[in-house]
Amino acid sequence: MDLLTTLKEQWPLLAIAAWFAYKWWSSRRVVRLLPELKSKGAVLVDVRSVEEFASGQAPGTINIPLPELGSRLNELSKSTPVVLCCASGTRSGMAKMLLKRHGFKDVYNAGTWRKLL
């Protein structure tokens, strides 16, 4: 079997692997930038549910559950960095897209909230 045939047959697995690799790399980059972002006054937002947040959270984070984020945008400033987190990085990724659509420029997805500990 040649390489082209293998790639054609395995592309879904390769795409999934690439997505997970990007997610991993991106969250590590945000964690490395965290001290600089905090020095700029970054707001750390955990978009998990109230119950999840109550069971454990990173110091300094505020809780705005993802379903409420659209109606609570006025609680965040577009002029300060926003660092988002959740249980796995998926909801915070959706939150990042939402904030970007509403004109927030400096938005970061840290992935899991435990990376902010």
Side-chain angles (χ1 to χ4, degrees):
M1 189 177 297
D2 67 339
L3 179 62
L4 188 57
T5 303
T6 301
L7 289 175
K8 284 181 180 178
E9 291 174 357
Q10 301 300 323
W11 75 265
L13 291 175
L14 295 171
I16 291 169
W19 179 75
F20 277 108
Y22 171 77
K23 213 171 137 177
W24 174 83
W25 175 83
S26 181
S27 69
R28 286 184 52 96
R29 183 182 66 86
V30 172
V31 170
R32 279 195 312 273
L33 289 172
L34 209 49
E36 178 186 340
L37 294 171
K38 284 181 177 180
S39 74
K40 293 179 180 179
V43 177
L44 308 177
V45 181
D46 189 325
V47 296
R48 294 177 298 150
S49 70
V50 172
E51 296 79 17
E52 288 173 293
F53 187 77
S55 70
Q57 70 274 342
T61 56
I62 62 170
N63 182 225
I64 304 178
L66 181 59
E68 299 174 16
L69 186 58
S71 64
R72 294 177 62 184
L73 293 174
N74 62 336
E75 296 178 34
L76 302 171
S77 170
K78 291 181 180 178
S79 62
T80 48
V82 179
V83 178
L84 301 158
C85 65
C86 64
S88 69
T90 302
R91 285 177 282 182
S92 50
M94 290 187 270
K96 179 180 176 181
M97 289 189 294
L98 177 75
L99 292 179
K100 290 284 198 175
R101 271 198 316 267
H102 283 87
F104 288 79
K105 304 278 186 236
D106 219 4
V107 184
Y108 302 86
N109 180 3
T112 175
W113 66 273
R114 294 181 188 275
K115 289 185 178 177
L116 301 179
L117 292 175

